[in-house]
Amino acid sequence: MVVVANPHRLTKPAADEDHRDQVGQRHGQHQQRGGHQPLVRADGGVKVGENRQHREQKADDVAAAIAVAAANGAAVLPRGGGTSLAGQSVGAAIHLDCSKYMNRVLEFNAEERWVRVQPGLVLDELNAYLQPHGLVFAPDGSTSSGANIGGMIGNNCCGAHSIIYGKTIDHVLELKVVLADGSRAVLGPVDEERYQQRAAGDDLEGQIYREIRRIANERTEQIRAGFPSVMRRVSGYNLDEFINGKPFDLSKIAVGSEGTLCPVVEAKLNL
């Protein structure tokens, strides 16, 4: 999962031994098990379901890597299938590649039309699983045979039919992420009462809630004037999602952030 592209920058030995040991031990456990076997097999060979403990161990690996990077001031680059065309998937950083061990459908509700997946799942594999149910994840980028869902969230993937069906941001219901200090957060729409509860926290998550609202409130007119009103705008942070009375939803700022804000470890998607 973790490839260190600039290991010379990781210079703090003692302080981070526990984190490194945790990553190494869990990686060894994955190898000893020969990978996690699917609980159910779906059409097209898609891996479906996973023991919750195994799922959390993999998310713990991501959190441990982020903690090591934070302690050493190293850059982190979460990546998907590497199908982007502008060099987003390369760079001097700790690369987090979730395509090998975090590539499953975790939950699926055909009646309510949503699915929960891990970030390394390939788009074509997801849609092959959904096809018998008459459903599809709508964003259809040209690199669908290799594009990972996490990468699509990172670059707010559109596709040829986005004018009809919308962009990835229009279909993300909830994200489970790891923040810059290695802590976890669940990002999704919250009402005002829930916002106040989360913003009151003295941790990094609480600070993020407060700062995003502050920026949106202080810069409302600049955001309204500076963000072009076009259907396929996917560049920049989506601060326009936090003005005009829209529900407060931090998943909107994570989508399209190219991995610069947080790695995704699970995503709940509208179908």
Side-chain angles (χ1 to χ4, degrees):
M1 179 185 297
V2 180
V3 178
V4 181
N6 57 344
H8 60 279
R9 294 189 61 184
L10 300 184
T11 56
K12 290 187 179 180
D16 303 315
E17 281 303 319
D18 289 342
H19 291 304
R20 290 182 183 141
D21 289 345
Q22 290 168 11
V23 174
Q25 289 169 5
R26 281 193 291 271
H27 181 66
Q29 290 167 0
H30 296 331
Q31 290 183 322
Q32 290 167 13
R33 296 188 191 103
H36 300 307
Q37 298 302 313
L39 303 182
V40 184
R41 292 298 293 183
D43 291 343
V46 179
K47 299 174 182 178
V48 182
E50 181 167 50
N51 180 285
R52 181 172 294 276
Q53 180 182 3
H54 293 170
R55 187 194 313 179
E56 290 302 317
Q57 284 176 336
K58 295 171 186 177
D60 285 346
D61 285 347
V62 175
I66 296 294
V68 170
N72 287 273
V76 176
L77 197 162
R79 54 164 290 163
T83 60
S84 297
L85 302 178
Q88 299 98 314
S89 59
V90 298
I94 299 175
H95 289 209
L96 300 181
D97 182 350
C98 298
S99 62
K100 184 173 183 178
Y101 293 112
M102 301 177 73
N103 56 9
R104 296 175 184 255
V105 174
L106 300 174
E107 296 179 71
F108 170 57
N109 190 315
E111 183 178 349
E112 297 180 5
R113 298 175 61 168
W114 60 262
V115 66
R116 188 183 302 277
V117 303
Q118 293 177 312
L121 181 64
V122 173
L123 175 60
D124 277 358
E125 294 177 355
L126 171 60
N127 282 333
Y129 169 69
L130 297 172
Q131 185 177 19
H133 305 278
L135 295 171
V136 67
F137 182 58
D140 56 348
S142 61
T143 58
S144 61
S145 63
N148 293 181
I149 297 299
M152 295 177 67
I153 293 169
N155 63 21
N156 197 8
C157 180
C158 293
H161 299 91
S162 61
I163 293 177
I164 299 173
Y165 298 116
K167 310 181 293 291
T168 297
I169 194 172
D170 302 309
H171 299 280
V172 170
L173 301 176
E174 181 183 276
L175 298 176
K176 292 185 178 181
V177 304
V178 177
L179 302 179
D181 61 352
S183 61
R184 311 279 194 89
V186 178
L187 310 183
V190 296
D191 58 21
E192 184 60 24
E193 180 181 2
R194 188 61 175 158
Y195 167 85
Q196 293 297 339
Q197 291 174 352
R198 295 191 178 183
D202 58 1
D203 54 2
L204 179 57
E205 182 181 7
Q207 181 184 355
I208 292 170
Y209 272 86
R210 296 190 297 273
E211 285 299 296
I212 292 295
R213 173 164 283 189
R214 180 189 65 78
I215 293 170
N217 288 344
E218 293 180 0
R219 305 287 183 175
T220 297
E221 293 308 317
Q222 289 176 279
I223 295 169
R224 186 175 288 121
F227 280 66
S229 180
V230 295
M231 295 184 68
R232 285 171 59 110
R233 181 189 60 78
V234 296
S235 59
Y237 297 115
N238 297 306
L239 290 170
D240 56 323
E241 294 288 339
F242 297 87
I243 62 175
N244 298 327
K246 295 182 179 181
F248 194 94
D249 183 352
L250 280 182
S251 74
K252 301 296 186 183
I253 201 76
V255 175
S257 64
E258 299 282 6
T260 59
L261 299 180
C262 56
V264 174
V265 293
E266 288 185 23
K268 183 179 179 181
L269 308 172
N270 174 64
L271 305 173

